[in-house]
């Protein structure tokens, strides 16, 4: 028996050596089949640039003390981030389980029974057996399981970092959106006061017979009520943004104290493009690659299922049952077993599992490549918005300066002249000025959000 077991073990080892080229032992490597994945693989070999924008700590980027306090509170209390961290703990437990699978399993099953024949005294029998079983991982089943669990852990850690980055960006975006809406609200309220004065001026001119008709007064009044209506929309938007901030911080709805200026002071980061080495540190990119690694090991495990399973068992214990006889006192016993189980026909399950694993691995590769391309597009979009927002802001400043003069001139002409201007010109100038001022605030918000998007797109949030 022992010789047979040794022979089986020798055959299995020889088979493992011959089959080592089948890929069941090979460790995952970043694919280099396409230009995108090749550039990524090369970027991983480069040293990490700690001065890159995405590698800066969030406190270095978001220096507003009010905003920093809110981000800290969100990172401490946000439910999504807590769940992401718990997912990491689950993955850590799975890795531990995969590592412990290399150890033998031990089972203890004591039992006893009493029997009597024809009214005789009970005869007691007992067994105190212990069984130790150990699977020898010659064909890489446990190895691929462990590697897959480690890849899943790295993916969970990347997702947790992505959640952290998303929360930081979410708080910052909401913070500056609240500031922008408040600025729009203050501007609209101030403008409403000025338009109300215009209505009264037109009434006075009409009563003085200065060429202003009742139609002009009514139209001016309608203009005034239109801005009052827009103020209610801004108030609703402000309330919704405050509620969004409360959810991000996992607290009851309330009003939040924010800055008056929609602006972020950032280092010199903008350029025509971003190296792949900066995209490679993005957590979603890392997560996508680890998803590919996990799928690779799942395919290797599916291949390993075609090869035998080898187990060594050791049993022993103390018993008073010897065959059909009961003997007191009992005696110690032990046995040693070895088994090799080779799948010959499993109704096509192993073949189907391997085909499915290969398809899922290709899906993971497609997702990985798309994530890289999407990351590059997000960075390019953020840089473009940042650049163009400066250009647009400069043009809006010129427009606002001219419109302010236009409003002053048309008001003066209406008050001090007769027949040289009409109320439509006054209303048009006022509406154009308000529209340009609102656009300026929105442009400032877009510029701030582009910085936040760029920071997030480069994997920021450390």
């Amino acid at each position: 028996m022992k010789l047979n077991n040794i022979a089986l073990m020798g055959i299995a080892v020889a088979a493992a050596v011959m089959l080592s080229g089948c890929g069941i032992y090979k460790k995952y490597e970043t694919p280099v089949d396409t230009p995108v994945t090749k550039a990524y693989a090369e970027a991983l070999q480069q040293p990490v640039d700690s001065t890159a924008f995405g590698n800066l700590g969030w406190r270095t980027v978001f220096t507003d003390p009010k905003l920093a306090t809110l981000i800290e509170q969100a990172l401490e209390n946000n439910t999504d981030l807590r769940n992401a961290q718990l997912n990491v703990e689950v993955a850590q437990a799975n890795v531990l389980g995969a590592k412990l699978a290399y150890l033998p399993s031990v089972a203890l099953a004591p039992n006893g029974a009493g029997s009597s024949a024809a009214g005789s005294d009970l005869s007691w029998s007992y067994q105190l057996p212990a069984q130790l079983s150990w699977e020898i991982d010659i064909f890489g089943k446990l190895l691929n399981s462990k590697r897959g669990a480690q890849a899943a852990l790295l993916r969970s850690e990347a997702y947790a970092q992505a959640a952290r980055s998303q929360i930081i960006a979410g708080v910052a975006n909401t913070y500056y959106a609240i500031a922008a809406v408040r600025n729009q609200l203050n501007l609209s309220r101030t403008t409403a006061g000025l338009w109300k004065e215009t209505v009264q001026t037109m009434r006075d001119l009409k009563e003085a017979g200065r060429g202003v008709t009742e139609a002009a007064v009514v139209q001016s009044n309608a203009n005034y009520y239109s801005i009052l209506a827009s103020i209610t929309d801004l108030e609703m938007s402000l309330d919704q943004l405050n509620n969004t901030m409360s959810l991000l911080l996992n607290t009851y709805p309330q009003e939040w104290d924010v800055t008056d200026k929609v602006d972020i002071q950032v280092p010199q980061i903008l350029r025509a493009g971003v190296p792949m080495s900066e995209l490679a540190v993005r957590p979603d990119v890392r997560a996508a690659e680890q998803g590919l690694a996990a799928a690779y090991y799942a395919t290797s495990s599916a291949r390993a299922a075609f090869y035998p399973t080898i187990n060594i068992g050791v049993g022993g214990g103390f018993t008073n049952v010897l065959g059909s006889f009961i003997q007191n006192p009992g005696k110690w016993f032990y046995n040693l077993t070895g088994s090799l189980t080779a799948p010959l026909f499993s109704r096509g399950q192993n073949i189907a599992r391997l085909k499915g694993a290969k398809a899922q691995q290709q899906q993971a590769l497609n997702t990985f490549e798309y994530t890289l391309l999407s990351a590059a597009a997000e960075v390019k979009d953020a840089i473009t918005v940042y650049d163009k927002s400066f250009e647009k802001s400069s043009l809006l400043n010129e427009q606002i300066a001219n419109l302010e003069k236009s409003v002053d001139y048309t008001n003066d002409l209406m008050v001090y002249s007769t027949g040289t201007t009409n109320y439509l010109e006054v209303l048009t100038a006022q509406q154009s000025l308000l529209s340009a001022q609102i656009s300026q605030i929105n442009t400032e918000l877009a510029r701030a959000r582009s910085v936040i998007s760029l920071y997030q797109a480069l994997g920021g949030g450390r």
Side-chain angles (χ1 to χ4, degrees), residues 78-92:
N78 187 271
T79 302
D80 291 337
L81 184 56
R82 287 180 180 177
N83 288 337
Q85 292 167 342
L86 289 173
N87 285 336
V88 173
E89 294 182 16
V90 171
Q92 289 172 338

Side-chain angles (χ1 to χ4, degrees), residues 173-213:
N173 275 319
T174 306
Y175 180 84
Y176 287 109
I178 291 174
V181 172
R182 283 187 178 172
N183 288 345
Q184 291 177 359
L185 195 53
N186 293 335
L187 173 63
S188 296
R189 286 170 177 166
T190 301
T191 302
L194 296 174
W195 288 12
K196 186 176 182 181
E197 293 177 3
T198 299
V199 173
Q200 187 59 47
T201 300
M202 286 191 174
R203 283 200 180 105
D204 294 340
L205 291 173
K206 175 182 173 294
E207 292 175 1
R210 296 285 302 276
V212 176
T213 65

